Amino acid sequence: MLLQLLTAVAALAGAACSLLAEGSGTGAISGILPFTAGGFIYLGTVSVLPEILRNSGPGQAVLQLLALLAGVAMMLLIAHYE
């Protein structure tokens, strides 16, 4: 539970940093966005993906993998059109 609390506090600190960096120009945002997206992709591929493949059948694993890729695609679309 302590590690979960640490993760939540780090997420809040990251959100606060991004809100503070909003007014400092596009240079700060262009550095934060790839870092954040990379963190989500890393967590999805290293933590979640093995768990998905271990606990479900092949059809369900393919659907969940497609959902993960759709989430990555949405992040790319948001970054492109923002």
Side-chain angles (χ1 to χ4, degrees):
M1 285 179 47
L2 184 60
L3 289 175
Q4 187 67 21
L5 177 66
L6 180 65
T7 304
V9 168
L12 286 174
C17 286
S18 67
L19 289 174
L20 291 173
E22 183 178 1
S24 63
T26 59
I29 299 297
S30 66
I32 292 173
L33 186 63
F35 181 75
T36 305
F40 280 116
I41 293 169
Y42 173 79
L43 286 175
T45 55
V46 173
S47 304
V48 178
L49 195 58
E51 191 70 28
I52 287 172
L53 295 175
R54 188 176 355 179
N55 292 335
S56 61
Q60 184 68 24
V62 168
L63 287 175
Q64 291 174 348
L65 181 61
L66 288 173
L68 178 72
L69 292 175
V72 171
M74 280 188 250
M75 283 192 289
L76 286 171
L77 284 172
I78 289 170
H80 181 68
Y81 290 111
E82 188 173 298

